[in-house]
Amino acid sequence: QVQLVESGGGLVQPGGSLKLSCANSRRTSNMYAMGWFRQAPGKEREIVAAISRSGGSTYSADSVKGRFTISRDNAKNMVYLQMNSLKPEDTAVYYCAASPYTTIQESESKYNYWGQGTQVTVSS
């Protein structure tokens, strides 16, 4: 069973930065492609960024492209989301997810395991 635990959320002013971390309980974390999703109040959950099993390929949603960067450290069983130039519209609960596929997955349906989420609030 894969257990994912997110951390690093919080309150930040517009223009600020946060780095989210996702710890994977399994030593075989490199068997999973990973993704970050978010859900704002009253909205559907959406993909933010994804990374392949090896870390060689990444995807970023248009809304965060150039501002957010996904990365992973398989030796540490960790996935990260560096968020810069944050905007109020980035406010949401952010979820880490694991997919058994090798390549980048954009669809929620391809992810089997989910963390509990971490709140990110961008406000002055």
Side-chain angles (χ1 to χ4, degrees), residues 49-124:
I51 190 165
S52 62
R53 188 183 293 183
S54 69
S57 299
T58 61
Y59 163 85
S60 297
D62 287 344
S63 58
V64 305
K65 198 163 292 183
R67 300 187 298 123
F68 291 12
T69 303
I70 188 171
S71 62
R72 67 188 300 163
D73 185 338
N74 286 339
K76 295 182 178 179
N77 303 320
M78 297 291 293
V79 178
Y80 306 99
L81 184 68
Q82 177 67 48
M83 306 186 294
N84 298 327
S85 302
L86 282 160
K87 304 176 181 180
E89 51 263 44
D90 294 318
T91 295
V93 177
Y94 283 71
Y95 298 91
C96 173
S99 167
Y101 291 85
T102 301
T103 56
I104 293 169
Q105 301 299 319
E106 297 179 32
S107 171
E108 259 189 68
S109 64
K110 303 296 187 182
Y111 290 83
N112 294 357
Y113 303 102
W114 294 82
Q116 81 288 352
T118 185
Q119 176 71 47
V120 172
T121 302
V122 185
S123 175
S124 55

